[in-house]
Every structure is written in structure tokens, then in C-alpha cells.
């Protein structure tokens, strides 16, 4: 059976979102997981990998269920190590489980699927020029998330609600922000689940794209 490598910027296994990707695979490939923060303690991560002023901010989940806020610049070498190790294991398709932008990640021959390269043009085509709203984890990510879409002629609205640390009411408020303000909502983090999609659709009253489900369906065609 083929294997699909899936690397989270947090810790593996991702029991929250792996079932969404596995659903798209329909048994055609085995999901092999790894995380950039595997084996690291919460205290170590906070001390050594938290963002410094001006660094690109990310958030993810640990196997304990705790959420962490981390610096892209500090975790990127760890992420590249996991990618290289998976490729050395013979895995030919590797999915980065993050919608953030990571300049310079690479493989030798394996396909590396980076959602930030895929989502903006796909959402552009799906939206057909209609109003798009983004729900992302952290308010401080607003500018970076919107910058992914601007090269494609899009200027999406933004509301923050973390899939890891926000309450259900906070997520409802983010969805309500787009009531009559957006025609399509994108959950711009790979940590959102079907529950978040259903809540957003109910309270905003528009179609909602779950990023990990969309990417999972696309990647499933490669295995």
C-alpha cells in the first residue's frame, strides 16, 4: 500500500484532523504522521520556540491537547528535518499540515504539498470574484493570512478563533462577523474540524471551506 506522509507543525499523531484526511484517502494509502515538535516539552517550546518580535506567528496542538504559539523561523529547521526523514523512508508524497507560508522547504524527489500554494488559487476559482472571509486562529496572524491571497487579486475579510483554545461562543462570534459580509468562508488553519465548519455555516449562513478536507481530497489523487 502507498503511504502519505503528513507533517504537523505541532506534535503527532493529530487525532483531531487525521480522520478527515483518512476519509479522503478512502483506504488507498496509509497515513504516516510526524510533528516538528515531537518529543519536546511544553516548557521547552515556550522558552525556545515562542515568537520574538517581528517573527511569523503560528499555532498548533500538542499530543497533550495543549495549544502552543510558535515562531516559523524557529521551527522551520525542525520541520525540514522531518520532511527529509520521511523522504529517506521512501515516502513519495508528503503533506504539510499547515496553511502558513514556509519559504525554502524542499525535497529531493518526493512531492511536497504545501497548502499555502494550493488554497489561494483554488479559493479564487471557487469564489468567482465573490466576497471571501477567512477565519484564522490568532488576531496577530491577520495580515500574514490575508497576504497569501492578495497576489491572486483577493482581499478577504478576517476574524480570529482558534481551533485549539477558543470557546464555542468565540467561534460563533467569528462566524457571525461574516453574516451578510461574505459569500464564502475559508477556515484557514489545518486544525479546524467538521464541527467548526458546521458552526460557521450555521451562524454565517454561507458555504464554508474546511482547508484540511479540501487539501486531503486533492492529495488523495496523488496516492
Amino acid at each position: 500500500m502507498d503511504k502519505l506522509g503528513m507533517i504537523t507543525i505541532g506534535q503527532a499523531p493529530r487525532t483531531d484532523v487525521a480522520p478527515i484526511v483518512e476519509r479522503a484517502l478512502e483506504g488507498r494509502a496509509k497515513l504516516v504522521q510526524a510533528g516538528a515538535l515531537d518529543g519536546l516539552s511544553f516548557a521547552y517550546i515556550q522558552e525556545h520556540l515562542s515568537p520574538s518580535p517581528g517573527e511569523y506567528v503560528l499555532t498548533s496542538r500538542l499530543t497533550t491537547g495543549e495549544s502552543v504559539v510558535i515562531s516559523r523561523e524557529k521551527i522551520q529547521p525542525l520541520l525540514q528535518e522531518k520532511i527529509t526523514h520521511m523522504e529517506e523512508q521512501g515516502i513519495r508524497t508528503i503533506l504539510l499540515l499547515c496553511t502558513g507560508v514556509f519559504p525554502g522547504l524542499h525535497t529531493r524527489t518526493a512531492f511536497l504539498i504545501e497548502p499555502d500554494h494550493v488554497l489561494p488559487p483554488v479559493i479564487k476559482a471557487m469564489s468567482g470574484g465573490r466576497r471571501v472571509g477567512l477565519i484564522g486562529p490568532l488576531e496577530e496572524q491577520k495580515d500574514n493570512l490575508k497576504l497569501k491571497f492578495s497576489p491572486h487579486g483577493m482581499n478577504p475579510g478576517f476574524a480570529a478563533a482558534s481551533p485549539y483554545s477558543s470557546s464555542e461562543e468565540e467561534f460563533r462570534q467569528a462566524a457571525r462577523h461574516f453574516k451578510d459580509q461574505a459569500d464564502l468562508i475559508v477556515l484557514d488553519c489545518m486544525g479546524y474540524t467538521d464541527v467548526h465548519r458546521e458552526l460557521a455555516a450555521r451562524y454565517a449562513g454561507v458555504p464554508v471551506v474546511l482547508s484540511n478536507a479540501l487539501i486531503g481530497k486533492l492529495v488523495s489523487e496523488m496516492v
Side-chain angles (χ1 to χ4, degrees):
M1 179 182 289
D2 284 342
K3 295 178 180 179
L4 171 64
M6 186 176 81
I7 302 178
T8 173
I9 61 170
Q11 291 179 340
R14 287 298 300 267
T15 56
D16 51 343
V17 298
I20 297 171
V21 177
E22 288 176 323
R23 185 173 67 209
L25 293 175
E26 297 180 334
R28 293 192 300 274
K30 178 183 178 181
L31 192 63
V32 179
Q33 301 188 54
L37 305 183
D38 286 352
L40 303 179
S41 69
F42 182 79
Y44 179 92
I45 293 164
Q46 282 194 310
E47 181 177 355
H48 298 283
L49 302 176
S50 294
S52 300
E55 291 183 330
Y56 190 105
V57 177
L58 298 163
T59 186
S60 193
R61 181 180 183 269
L62 306 183
T63 53
T64 59
E66 298 168 294
S67 64
V68 288
V69 177
I70 48 182
S71 156
R72 176 186 68 185
E73 288 77 5
K74 290 170 183 168
I75 71 158
Q76 184 150 331
L78 302 176
L79 200 54
Q80 182 61 57
E81 286 179 12
K82 298 295 181 181
I83 292 168
T84 301
H85 180 63
M86 274 199 175
E87 188 171 26
E88 289 171 348
Q89 289 179 298
I91 295 176
R92 297 179 298 175
T93 304
I94 300 170
L95 169 62
L96 177 61
L97 195 70
C98 182
T99 61
V101 178
F102 288 88
L105 291 179
H106 61 275
T107 58
R108 291 188 298 276
T109 59
F111 289 102
L112 178 62
I113 311 302
E114 298 183 64
D116 74 287
H117 295 173
V118 179
L119 282 171
V122 171
I123 296 302
K124 171 71 171 178
M126 292 172 66
S127 64
R130 295 176 181 85
R131 298 172 298 174
V132 174
L134 304 179
I135 296 180
L138 304 172
E139 185 64 34
E140 53 264 45
Q141 293 177 306
K142 176 179 178 178
D143 291 340
N144 284 330
L145 290 182
K146 292 177 70 172
L147 276 174
K148 289 190 305 186
F149 291 85
S150 59
H152 299 270
M154 305 171 69
N155 183 31
F158 179 83
S162 173
Y164 310 120
S165 58
S166 293
S167 67
E168 188 171 305
E169 179 55 32
E170 288 171 325
F171 193 83
R172 287 195 192 103
Q173 290 175 7
R176 288 192 190 108
H177 173 78
F178 292 113
K179 184 72 173 177
D180 301 321
Q181 302 297 316
D183 303 301
L184 177 71
I185 291 174
V186 180
L187 300 183
D188 198 347
C189 174
M190 298 296 265
Y192 294 113
T193 66
D194 290 313
V195 171
H196 297 110
R197 173 166 52 188
E198 291 164 7
L199 284 172
R202 184 187 314 159
Y203 289 99
V206 298
V208 178
V209 175
L210 183 59
S211 294
N212 50 35
L214 176 60
I215 296 295
K217 289 171 185 175
L218 295 172
V219 173
S220 72
E221 296 300 316
M222 302 181 66
V223 295

